[in-house]
């Protein structure tokens, strides 16, 4: 039973666009907040996460008001919340605005961006990873501004990095299946990084990923995500995990800040909101899909969570999509 797999399976991921940058020192570019370019990159994707994989050389990444972060070959950086930042090497006289060049870049189908002053070479691959907004409650919850993990030094990481390098080097070729393969590699890169980050969390860490790593809490999360419409009781959940109700409740609350059945109730409403957005199913049908026996009880719970009843939520969502 694996909570991370269950959660990743439940948020419909889209892999990312890759482009390849070859920069010679001095060089630098500014990356806008992802929200500002999301409509160009991935229209309709609710949640974007960006990343850079450094394949050669080195660079410095700077977030406003934070210490500089040195990156070197083999490092992958995941910018979990899409914050604006700069990437550079040396002291360039101007920073290139990657937000502006990105649209041209995507329109031209060009795959390698070359810039800089002719000195030391840094190569990296950039991409974006898209998923549904309710990932914010799951594996994206509580992630720091940036995660930095080095992929070199073990076979799995090296395999991933060399696969990505190989695919990107062929990106201009018109081989069939190319874009899907790139997108799946983006997903693999993201999942591998999240997995390594999760494994390296300190024992006192709380939050969704730390909970997913805990045997009891992770087991409970996997069950709740696998069968959200099941009428779980605390007794049944504890019995499935061969633990006691009190241990389950205490540990779950310590990691996630709420007891298991409260978490489940909120997750069901997230799933219902998703269905209201993406299907034309009747409200009663959606209520029963997420484990409610009565439409009235569902409407009350939904309004408590989202501030409006389901029908109004659906109308407001479809209006915002058409406007």
């Amino acid at each position: 039973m694996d909570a991370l797999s269950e959660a990743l399976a439940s948020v419909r991921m889209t892999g990312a666009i890759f482009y390849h940058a070859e920069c010679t020192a001095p060089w630098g570019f500014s990356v806008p907040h992802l929200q500002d370019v999301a409509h160009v990159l991935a229209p309709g994707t609710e949640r974007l996460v960006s990343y850079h994989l450094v394949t050669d050389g080195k660079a410095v990444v700077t977030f406003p008001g934070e210490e500089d972060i040195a990156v070197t070959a083999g490092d992958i950086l995941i910018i979990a919340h899409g914050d604006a930042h700069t990437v550079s090497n040396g002291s360039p006289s101007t920073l290139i605005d990657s937000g502006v060049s990105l649209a041209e870049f995507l329109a031209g189908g060009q795959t390698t961006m070359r810039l800089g002053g002719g000195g030391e070479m840094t190569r990296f691959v950039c991409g974006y990873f898209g998923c549904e907004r309710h990932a914010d409650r799951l594996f994206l919850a509580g992630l720091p501004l940036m995660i930095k993990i080095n992929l070199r030094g073990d076979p799995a990481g090296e395999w991933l990095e060399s696969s990505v390098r190989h695919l990107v080097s062929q990106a201009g070729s018109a081989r069939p299946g190319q874009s899907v393969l790139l997108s799946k590699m983006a997903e693999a890169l993201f999942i591998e990084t999240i997995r390594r980050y999760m494994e390296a969390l300190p024992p006192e860490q709380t939050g969704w990923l730390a909970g997913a790593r805990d045997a009891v809490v992770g087991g409970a999360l996997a069950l709740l995500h696998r069968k959200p419409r099941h009428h779980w009781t605390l007794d049944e959940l504890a019995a499935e995990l061969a633990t006691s109700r009190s241990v389950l409740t205490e540990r779950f609350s310590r990691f996630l800040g709420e007891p298991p059945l409260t978490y489940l109730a909120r997750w069901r409403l997230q799933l219902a909101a998703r269905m209201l957005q993406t299907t034309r199913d009747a409200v009663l049908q959606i209520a029963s899909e997420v484990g409610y026996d009565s439409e009235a009880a569902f409407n009350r719970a939904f309004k408590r969570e989202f501030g409006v009843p389901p029908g109004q939520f659906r109308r407001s969502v479809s209006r915002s999509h058409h406007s």
Side-chain angles (χ1 to χ4, degrees), residues 2 6 8 24 32 35 37 41 59 90 97 101 113 123 151 193 230 235 242 246 264 271 278 281 293 302 320 322:
D2 162 15
E6 295 291 341
L8 288 163
T24 53
Q35 277 171 334
V37 290
L41 282 177
D97 179 346
S101 52
M113 190 183 271
R123 290 190 182 87
L151 294 176
T193 307
H230 181 75
D235 285 327
S246 58
L264 174 63
L271 292 176
T278 57
D281 295 350
D293 292 332
F302 192 92
S320 68
H322 295 311

Side-chain angles (χ1 to χ4, degrees), residues 94-108:
T94 55
L95 290 174
I96 289 173
D97 179 346
S98 75
V100 174
S101 52
L102 198 60
E104 297 165 9
F105 195 78
L106 294 175

Side-chain angles (χ1 to χ4, degrees), residues 168-202:
V168 170
S169 71
Q170 294 197 315
S173 75
R175 290 186 63 198
Q178 183 72 20
S179 63
V180 173
L181 205 48
L182 279 173
S183 134
K184 294 293 179 206
M185 284 313 295
E187 283 178 39
L189 208 51
F190 178 77
I191 294 165
E192 182 64 25
T193 307
I194 290 290
R195 189 157 87 167
R196 288 171 185 232
Y197 172 77
M198 177 175 158
E199 286 163 354
L201 286 171

Side-chain angles (χ1 to χ4, degrees), residues 50-256:
S50 63
Y51 60 84
H52 307 300
L53 168 63
V54 182
T55 55
D56 291 287
K58 60 181 202 281
V60 171
V61 177
T62 312
F63 291 89
E66 302 281 325
E67 300 270 303
D68 287 358
I69 299 144
V71 293
T72 181
D75 279 345
I76 176 161
L77 303 183
I78 288 192
I79 296 105
H81 311 289
D83 292 80
H85 57 283
T86 63
V87 188
S88 62
N89 185 1
S91 308
S93 49
T94 55
L95 290 174
I96 289 173
D97 179 346
S98 75
V100 174
S101 52
L102 198 60
E104 297 165 9
F105 195 78
L106 294 175
Q110 168 196 3
T111 48
T112 303
M113 190 183 271
R114 292 186 176 83
L115 56 113
E120 177 189 35
M121 170 73 81
T122 304
R123 290 190 182 87
F124 48 93
V125 173
C126 303
Y128 303 83
F129 175 84
C131 55
E132 293 173 334
R133 189 176 50 217
H134 54 242
D136 284 333
R137 285 270 172 89
L138 307 174
F139 48 88
L140 297 180
L143 288 183
L145 199 61
M146 191 194 85
I147 296 172
K148 176 175 105 164
I149 303 265
N150 193 282
L151 294 176
R152 296 194 181 170
D154 71 275
E158 287 175 2
W159 174 82
L160 250 178
E161 188 194 341
S162 63
S163 305
V164 168
R165 290 172 75 145
H166 169 69
L167 281 172
V168 170
S169 71
Q170 294 197 315
S173 75
R175 290 186 63 198
Q178 183 72 20
S179 63
V180 173
L181 205 48
L182 279 173
S183 134
K184 294 293 179 206
M185 284 313 295
E187 283 178 39
L189 208 51
F190 178 77
I191 294 165
E192 182 64 25
T193 307
I194 290 290
R195 189 157 87 167
R196 288 171 185 232
Y197 172 77
M198 177 175 158
E199 286 163 354
L201 286 171
E204 67 280 4
Q205 183 83 31
T206 60
W208 198 93
L209 282 170
R213 184 181 62 172
D214 178 84
V216 171
V217 179
L221 285 169
L223 286 169
L224 297 175
H225 281 279
R226 185 175 303 165
K227 297 189 195 165
R229 62 186 292 186
H230 181 75
H231 289 289
W232 290 105
T233 63
L234 214 46
D235 285 327
E236 186 187 4
L237 206 50
E240 284 268 357
L241 299 163
T243 185
S244 69
R245 289 174 49 142
S246 58
V247 166
L248 172 59
T249 305
E250 185 276 320
R251 288 176 83 132
F252 202 98
S253 301
R254 184 173 78 213
F255 281 104
L256 288 147

